[in-house]
Amino acid sequence: MHLIKLLGQYLKSDSVIEFLESFDMEVVYNFDRTNEGLFDEYYSTSEEHGIELQFNDEQKLETIFLTCLDTETFRKHSFVDGDLDFPVFRTCEKAKSEFESLNVEHKFKESKWVKCFPNVGHTPWLKGFNDAGYIHYQFNIDGLLKRICLHNP
């Protein structure tokens, strides 16, 4: 599945429409009802497939979220890792070592408090950058992959 290639595509492009239809996803449109100069919002979610799409005010696909562990709201995404056009790291340590060995520009954040106070602070994450945007991997308390965010501003 070529998710990275979808980033930057218009909402009404054939590839985005095909993706939305393949997961039976509807697009929600929110406009500035209060006349405060806010941008229009377009997004689509499939809780069943663990996918969220966010489009910018020009209707270009800007962000894709994939849920990698079942949550109260979202099921784990249904993609096979080898079929995706970006690396999927199942553990925080694997992601960190791979980014470092490849000299990929990245940021890593590990919470010192999350094991003692699971409802406070953030779980570990790793964000890798490239010319087109970034891939953000979020891990749970045990260091297992929880969510992936692909973003192209």
Side-chain angles (χ1 to χ4, degrees):
M1 179 66 60
H2 299 286
L3 295 180
I4 290 178
K5 290 182 180 180
L6 285 177
L7 290 170
Q9 298 284 323
Y10 284 97
L11 172 60
K12 295 179 183 175
S13 70
D14 290 340
S15 55
V16 172
I17 289 172
E18 181 180 324
F19 183 86
L20 291 167
E21 288 176 347
S22 68
F23 293 100
D24 197 27
M25 297 172 70
E26 295 183 7
V27 176
V28 176
Y29 168 57
N30 285 330
F31 60 93
D32 182 11
R33 290 176 168 82
T34 59
N35 292 319
E36 293 179 0
L38 301 174
F39 291 114
D40 293 342
E41 293 180 330
Y42 305 85
Y43 63 91
S44 184
T45 61
S46 173
E47 295 172 359
E48 177 184 353
H49 294 100
I51 305 167
E52 296 177 73
L53 307 177
Q54 293 180 348
F55 300 85
N56 65 18
D57 60 317
E58 296 174 351
Q59 298 185 15
K60 286 185 179 179
L61 181 55
E62 190 172 72
T63 307
I64 300 172
F65 294 99
L66 294 179
T67 301
C68 301
L69 294 174
D70 287 342
T71 68
E72 291 178 18
T73 308
F74 286 89
R75 292 186 47 97
K76 177 184 184 258
H77 72 81
S78 56
F79 300 114
V80 176
D81 296 349
D83 291 343
L84 295 170
D85 59 347
F86 55 90
V88 176
F89 304 107
R90 290 288 160 202
T91 67
C92 187
E93 287 306 315
K94 176 70 174 159
K96 192 173 166 191
S97 68
E98 192 72 22
F99 274 53
E100 289 171 356
S101 72
L102 296 172
N103 289 325
V104 174
E105 180 186 353
H106 66 279
K107 288 184 181 178
F108 174 70
K109 175 70 175 163
E110 184 173 39
S111 175
K112 297 176 183 172
W113 300 106
V114 79
K115 287 195 180 201
C116 299
F117 306 101
N119 297 322
V120 178
H122 300 282
T123 55
W125 56 262
L126 182 76
K127 186 185 290 187
F129 300 91
N130 62 27
D131 295 337
Y134 64 78
I135 299 178
H136 183 272
Y137 300 89
Q138 184 180 2
F139 302 90
N140 68 8
I141 295 170
D142 299 319
L144 300 176
L145 184 61
K146 181 171 141 181
R147 194 170 202 206
I148 299 172
C149 170
L150 308 171
H151 183 74
N152 182 357

